[in-house]
Amino acid sequence: MPKSTTHRPSKFKELRDGTIRLFGIPGLPEIQAGDNLPKLIVDAARAARIVFKSRDILVITQKIVSKSEGRIVQLSTPTPSADALSLATTVQNDPRMIELILRESRRIVRKGPRALIVETHLGFVCANAGVDRSNVPGDDAVTLLPKDPDRSARRLAAGLGKRTGKRLSVIISDTFGRPWRLGLTNVAIGAAGVPALLDLRGTKDRSAKSLHATILAVADELAAAAGLAMGKTAGLPVVVVRGYRYRPVRQTAASIIRPAHEDLFR
Amino acid sequence: MPKSTTHRPSKFKELRDGTIRLFGIPGLPEIQAGDNLPKLIVDAARAARIVFKSRDILVITQKIVSKSEGRIVQLSTPTPSADALSLATTVQNDPRMIELILRESRRIVRKGPRALIVETHLGFVCANAGVDRSNVPGDDAVTLLPKDPDRSARRLAAGLGKRTGKRLSVIISDTFGRPWRLGLTNVAIGAAGVPALLDLRGTKDRSAKSLHATILAVADELAAAAGLAMGKTAGLPVVVVRGYRYRPVRQTAASIIRPAHEDLFR
């Protein structure tokens, strides 16, 4: 991993004893294609008497970002290819769904029951390329991942900054499964302003021995933390993380994707 | 996954708008084998004027649990086997370290540069079986994972409960890498009192469509959240998560381990 993509904390004095707070922004309406998400978030926060502070990190679910960007498809739209029809039998899923997944994917990694594990065009390895039926109105509608979630995050951070006058960071989160462990956890698929990877290599531990090869995926930990305050059914798709100390940096969530040639599991 | 090992939230009224707080307990001494960890944690909390509340979740690093349980080995102790010597060349690591890793492992999953990805005797898939040099005093000392981290968590929760009169839950955390994504994140290797997996299958989403196959690994999200307040170099090995709403349950972190026959990546 090139040094330039990671944030070395040694230059930055962190206050270690600060409390980190996680809270959702209630009252957001159902998001529609074309909606101005920064405006809706700022309005909802104002109505809930939430006053943003600089360095607040807003963790926003992929779902509402996709909706605002019009990344919604009706399942009746795509005509399944022969590949999709054949795969649909193997993985026991709707061939139209499979067709959409294949269009979003660069490669199939594994075929599981009711799920294809794929590598998306952006390089994310996840189930069904993020094509998802949940929390979308209409029996037939599914959402796709944002086309470029890091760009979405930068745009949202800029819009939120303009409306609030505060330096706000943004993480776009999605729930991914993982090998070896059951259950989904929230990870960062887009980021603006926050460190994605915190490189502690060469820093000393408590015993003053060097730490070897320790890089923390803090953007993923921030997304996971926010997930606790969202609740999958809760309708709190925007969570504020306040009090996490960091130096604002230009890092992308894409930088968390392990390069294929370094990956022992592709 | 058997139903009995997961927590269905439908029976339990959650207050969704509560703020979750994460804060470390400062002032813990260097932990020694045989130390009474609940006593040291309660003493340190008292000195820092932290008053525990029932349902607080204490996320405790594996490192200090291992130390208190005497799971420390001097690298000079083990005599490397022929297997260890040969592997040491392949993965460019100390043969004595490899020997310890093999003793802690059931199976080698992958051989990487400077790391063996193994399945431990408990079933965790992780680098170097959790054998780790960092934050251990002495040039030659390494820690092993606790022998049964779920039992450790139950014992710690019981000890903390007795000393405080509060119903406290415990997660024992460690930093694991993962395929496809760079960086480490904190996960739960032991748990007592908190849900490990939150089963939302069958619950309705905002659009009143059923959620399919959604199980959240909340113990891992709690560990990751706490990781933000620990800092790898910070010396805050105990973090309190306050305000996360849950129903106390008997679930183990071991229940998060995906059964081998369901795993597409073994």
Side-chain angles (χ1 to χ4, degrees), chain A residues 173-221:
Chain A
S173 68
D174 197 7
T175 49
F176 279 14
R178 57 264 165 94
W180 315 321
R181 294 177 79 75
L182 294 168
L184 308 180
T185 60
N186 280 275
V187 299
I189 65 164
V194 280
L197 297 164
L198 192 62
D199 189 346
L200 299 169
R201 290 175 299 183
T203 58
K204 300 290 179 187
D205 62 22
R206 282 183 92 179
S207 314
K209 285 197 281 187
S210 256
L211 284 171
H212 306 285
T214 300
I215 297 174
L216 294 176
V218 287
D220 285 342
E221 291 202 327

Side-chain angles (χ1 to χ4, degrees), chain A residues 6 25 42 50 52 59 75 116 130 136 151 162-163 180 191 209 219 221 258-259 265:
Chain A
T6 60
I25 298 178
V42 169
I50 292 167
F52 291 113
V59 181
L75 266 186
L116 283 176
V136 196
R151 198 180 53 196
K162 202 175 282 178
R163 285 177 181 276
W180 315 321
K209 285 197 281 187
E221 291 202 327
R258 196 183 289 271
F265 296 92

